[in-house]
């Protein structure tokens, strides 16, 4: 089993739609979580950290479920500019703070 | 704040040749990472340094890959000899992180796109 697994994509949605991505992790020692965004042929960039109580940043909401070992990212009112690959990242503290990436979920927002 | 610098941006080599990549992290960042990203996949951690010590290199193919971070600042990643399956983008990242429970985000360089023919 992979340490971090994401919904396979691609997700093709119309502008204005709400879309959600899920990510599961296998190591219960994982302690911190992030969502990164990667545009085509560019480097990944931090979108948001994921806090235990859930957190929101504008149209983006991240949630963490430790019992089920998954995190989610919800994007409301999708924009064309949201088209990118979204990467789930898990920090495994008992492995020296090892940061493991999922394989990414591609989102394409159409007019 | 200057970002993570990597060079070269692109490299094309033949199989069995050697290649080296260079990374200069953000000033003051203790932790430096090298990731390999094959097309269509997420970045795969090759090696993680904290200052000039290795934290994790469990996924580094040590028969052909080597990395060093002299003086805890710049780092180089070398492949010798290269194979076709090494074709990928090699991403360097740094963070302030001083320990395992640090939540500092990663800052990535632009990456080096390697093509092995």
């Amino acid at each position: 089993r992979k340490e971090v697994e994401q919904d396979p994509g691609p997700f093709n949605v119309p502008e204005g739609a709400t879309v959600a991505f899920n990510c599961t992790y296998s190591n219960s020692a994982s302690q911190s979580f992030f969502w990164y965004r990667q545009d085509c042929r560019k480097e990944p960039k931090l979108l948001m950290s994921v806090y235990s109580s859930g957190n929101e940043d504008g149209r983006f909401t991240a949630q963490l479920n430790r019992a089920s070992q998954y995190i989610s990212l919800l994007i409301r009112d999708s924009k064309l500019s949201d088209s990118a690959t979204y990467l789930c990242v898990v920090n495994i503290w008992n492995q020296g703070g090892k940061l493991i990436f999922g394989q990414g979920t591609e989102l394409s927002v159409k007019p | 704040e200057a970002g993570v610098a990597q060079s070269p941006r692109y490299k094309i080599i033949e199989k069995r040749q050697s290649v080296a990549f260079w990374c200069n992290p953000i000033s003051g960042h203790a932790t430096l990472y090298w990731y390999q990203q094959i097309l269509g996949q997420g970045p795969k951690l090759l090696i993680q340094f904290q200052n000039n010590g290795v934290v994790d290199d469990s996924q580094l193919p040590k028969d052909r890959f080597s990395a060093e971070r002299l003086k805890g600042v710049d780092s180089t990643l070398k492949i010798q000899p290269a194979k076709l399956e090494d074709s990928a983008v090699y991403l360097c990242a740094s963070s302030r992180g001083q320990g395992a429970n640090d939540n500092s985000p990663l800052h990535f360089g632009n990456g080096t796109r390697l093509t092995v023919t």
Side-chain angles (χ1 to χ4, degrees):
Chain A
R1 181 183 174 187
K2 290 183 181 177
E3 288 185 280
V4 181
E5 289 201 68
Q6 296 187 236
D7 285 339
F11 282 56
N12 296 301
V13 302
E15 266 188 296
T18 296
V19 61
F21 307 135
N22 289 317
C23 169
T24 58
Y25 58 94
S26 60
N27 192 324
S28 58
S30 305
Q31 291 296 338
S32 52
F33 311 89
F34 309 89
W35 283 101
Y36 277 71
R37 170 191 169 130
Q38 186 171 29
D39 292 294
C40 187
R41 302 179 78 86
K42 298 283 191 181
E43 73 276 17
K45 292 188 177 177
L46 179 68
L47 178 65
M48 59 197 302
S49 302
V50 186
Y51 302 122
S52 295
S53 54
N55 48 299
E56 191 173 304
D57 182 3
R59 298 181 292 108
F60 299 83
T61 301
Q63 292 198 315
L64 166 64
N65 184 320
R66 286 189 185 275
S68 301
Q69 294 185 198
Y70 80 83
I71 66 173
S72 63
L73 176 68
L74 181 78
I75 305 175
R76 291 182 300 278
D77 188 23
S78 300
K79 310 290 185 192
L80 297 177
S81 56
D82 294 334
S83 297
T85 295
Y86 291 83
L87 296 158
C88 168
V89 184
V90 171
N91 183 341
I92 304 176
W93 286 7
N94 71 350
Q95 293 184 24
K98 189 173 170 180
L99 284 156
I100 305 297
F101 282 74
Q103 75 272 29
T105 301
E106 185 182 345
L107 172 65
S108 180
V109 182
K110 306 291 187 184
Chain B
E1 176 179 76
V4 176
Q6 286 190 249
S7 67
R9 286 298 307 275
Y10 306 93
K11 191 75 178 178
I12 300 174
I13 62 172
E14 295 182 352
K15 59 184 179 183
R16 291 187 289 273
Q17 287 187 321
S18 60
V19 64
F21 312 129
W22 173 82
C23 173
N24 186 9
I26 292 172
S27 178
H29 279 196
T31 307
L32 184 148
Y33 309 78
W34 282 102
Y35 284 88
Q36 179 194 58
Q37 187 172 26
I38 292 171
L39 188 64
Q41 299 181 19
K44 170 188 164 186
L45 180 65
L46 293 176
I47 188 166
Q48 177 182 342
F49 294 95
Q50 186 168 322
N51 299 309
N52 59 352
V54 175
V55 174
D56 188 286
D57 64 356
S58 57
Q59 296 196 90
L60 187 73
K62 298 179 187 62
D63 57 334
R64 299 184 301 106
F65 285 64
S66 64
E68 59 182 12
R69 190 184 184 196
L70 299 176
K71 301 180 182 178
V73 182
D74 293 9
S75 177
T76 56
L77 176 69
K78 295 179 182 177
I79 307 175
Q80 182 180 7
K83 292 185 175 181
L84 295 177
E85 60 260 34
D86 298 332
S87 294
V89 176
Y90 290 84
L91 293 161
C92 179
S94 69
S95 76
R96 295 184 184 278
Q98 291 286 356
N101 59 352
D102 186 273
N103 290 330
S104 304
L106 297 183
H107 297 264
F108 283 89
N110 292 328
T112 296
R113 189 173 299 275
L114 174 67
T115 302
V116 182
T117 63

